[in-house]
Amino acid sequence: NAGVTQTPKFQVLKTGQSMTLQCAQDMNHNSMYWYRQDPGMGLRLIYYSASEGTTDKGEVPNGYNVSRLNKREFSLRLESAAPSQTSVYFCASGLLALQETQYFGPGTRLLVL
Amino acid sequence: GQQVMQIPQYQHVQEGEDFTTYCNSSTTLSNIQWYKQRPGGHPVFLIQLVKSGEVKKQKRLTFQFGEAKKNSSLHITATQTTDVGTYFCISSGTYKYIFGTGTRLKVLA
């Protein structure tokens, strides 16, 4: 039982490049989330998925797209990376959307040059 | 929009001293959750409060939800070096999840 896993752990991109951050959970949770955390700051919600087949915008969705591939997997895509997207990205999952405990993955550290 | 203010932003304490962090919301919250994030780590769930005036304890940690459900506090008694990290509250109000900015706790041995 791995909980929430994220790949990659680290990534360096050049401005304009694209990439997809992967997230998977094995807890049979319905809801999944993507957050970003900037240095010394709290977490901000980018997108979330209340259940398989649905996605919704969070606080800071611009510049990102998401896909809820199945119940286990929720990916975050940067189509054209910008230096302002340098951050640590956390994926999380929970049983019920926006109500219950969230379980976080270890994070992906992204640097955009 | 809904905001959750968390104070203080930083706190340095000597080992053995007590520590308290507060979360304050401009609107009524349906519930509040507390998380701890160790340096370089990811947030880990501590507790959820739902009822007005609710108080919950976990060993040296005491969590409280205000009577008006607009504020919450986390109190640590006799801090230890293992308490080092950032403590976040999460508001689960009508504007989805909003994280408090966190209180970074440093414990000096």
Side-chain angles (χ1 to χ4, degrees):
Chain A
N1 195 342
V4 180
T5 57
Q6 291 182 237
T7 56
K9 290 185 178 179
F10 304 95
Q11 185 72 50
V12 179
L13 292 178
K14 294 181 179 179
T15 297
Q17 286 186 317
S18 62
M19 79 161 294
T20 300
L21 281 66
Q22 305 288 352
C23 174
Q25 52 92 8
D26 62 2
M27 296 174 283
N28 202 33
H29 284 165
N30 293 314
S31 59
M32 297 185 74
Y33 311 83
W34 275 106
Y35 293 92
R36 61 177 288 173
Q37 184 176 36
D38 299 323
M41 304 285 286
L43 288 100
R44 291 184 292 172
L45 182 64
I46 304 171
Y47 271 94
Y48 74 101
S49 170
S51 61
E52 184 179 354
T54 68
T55 61
D56 204 353
K57 294 179 179 180
E59 187 185 354
V60 288
N62 292 342
Y64 305 95
N65 286 301
V66 290
S67 294
R68 184 74 183 267
L69 304 170
N70 47 55
K71 192 170 187 179
R72 290 187 64 249
E73 298 172 291
F74 189 37
S75 63
L76 178 72
R77 183 160 179 85
L78 287 69
E79 290 291 351
S80 179
S84 61
Q85 294 178 305
T86 293
S87 190
V88 180
Y89 291 85
F90 289 102
C91 176
S93 71
L95 197 56
L96 295 175
L98 309 176
Q99 295 180 46
E100 297 289 337
T101 304
Q102 294 181 75
Y103 296 86
F104 286 82
T108 294
R109 283 154 179 77
L110 176 65
L111 173 62
V112 183
L113 302 174
Chain B
Q2 186 175 12
Q3 292 186 331
V4 174
M5 304 302 295
Q6 194 167 350
I7 55 171
Q9 195 172 1
Y10 302 96
Q11 185 82 58
H12 293 181
V13 299
Q14 290 288 335
E15 189 174 20
E17 290 183 340
D18 292 355
F19 159 76
T20 305
T21 175
Y22 301 89
C23 279
N24 299 304
S25 171
S26 56
T27 59
T28 302
L29 307 171
S30 58
N31 61 55
I32 196 157
Q33 300 175 14
W34 284 93
Y35 290 75
K36 176 183 178 182
Q37 185 176 20
R38 293 183 181 275
H42 59 277
V44 175
F45 173 76
L46 294 176
I47 209 151
Q48 177 170 271
L49 304 171
V50 179
K51 299 176 183 176
S52 169
E54 189 171 13
V55 178
K56 288 187 176 180
K57 293 190 176 185
Q58 288 180 350
K59 297 181 180 179
R60 295 180 295 105
L61 278 61
T62 302
F63 304 84
Q64 199 161 9
F65 203 7
E67 293 291 340
K69 299 182 75 173
K70 288 185 176 182
N71 54 68
S72 181
S73 65
L74 158 59
H75 179 82
I76 302 178
T77 304
T79 55
Q80 299 175 0
T81 54
T82 53
D83 295 325
V84 164
T86 300
Y87 294 85
F88 292 100
C89 61
I90 302 180
S91 158
S92 179
T94 55
Y95 191 65
K96 306 172 185 177
Y97 277 134
I98 299 292
F99 275 72
T101 50
T103 296
R104 191 174 299 176
L105 174 64
K106 188 169 183 178
V107 180
L108 307 173

